[in-house]
Amino acid sequence: MRSPRRCSRNGCPRQAVATLTYVYNESTAVVGPLAAFAEPHTYDLCEPHARSLTAPRGWDVVRHEGEFEPPPPTTDDLVALAEAVREAARPVTPRPPEDDQTAHTSPHTGRRGHLRVIPPNH
């Protein structure tokens, strides 16, 4: 499943709700609603960072005056969620015995999916 876009500010874990773009030839920073797609020369911001953004001296900030809303889930998000639920609900089929090397391992060693349990050294 695709994860929501996060704030571009370093260390900020919040979900992005606004997009910051710059108009360099007019010395203007524009903070508006979250763009439909992430672009290379824009920055996604959470609401606190979108509201508190300041620009360099001599620059203007044009800020969206309405509410910043997180984007609604897309059909792709809902389909991915449904597929993840179906996959988790599938019964686990027993695996055939492995080669002789694994037959001599500790009974506490096992494998499930991509994870492997490794017993502590004695």
Side-chain angles (χ1 to χ4, degrees):
M1 179 165 71
R2 187 180 58 183
S3 62
R5 286 163 36 198
R6 297 284 172 204
C7 183
S8 297
R9 296 292 299 262
N10 286 337
C12 183
R14 293 189 279 274
Q15 182 178 0
V17 295
T19 298
L20 167 65
T21 56
Y22 292 103
V23 183
Y24 288 99
N25 62 349
E26 295 180 17
S27 300
T28 304
V30 180
V31 180
L34 187 65
F37 300 99
E39 297 290 334
H41 300 289
T42 63
Y43 300 90
D44 294 337
L45 300 173
C46 63
E47 185 167 5
H49 285 126
R51 298 247 182 247
S52 65
L53 178 91
T54 59
R57 186 174 299 148
W59 281 59
D60 295 319
V61 176
V62 176
R63 197 180 322 267
H64 174 70
E65 292 298 323
E67 293 296 317
F68 289 113
E69 297 288 330
T74 65
T75 304
D76 292 343
D77 294 337
L78 297 175
V79 169
L81 179 60
E83 288 173 0
V85 169
R86 274 191 224 110
E87 180 68 27
R90 276 194 193 125
V92 177
T93 57
R95 295 182 60 176
E98 296 184 17
D99 60 10
D100 288 342
Q101 291 178 345
T102 58
H104 300 293
T105 59
S106 166
H108 300 312
T109 303
R111 182 175 170 90
R112 178 169 173 106
H114 65 282
L115 302 176
R116 182 181 302 263
V117 176
I118 300 173
N121 292 335
H122 290 83

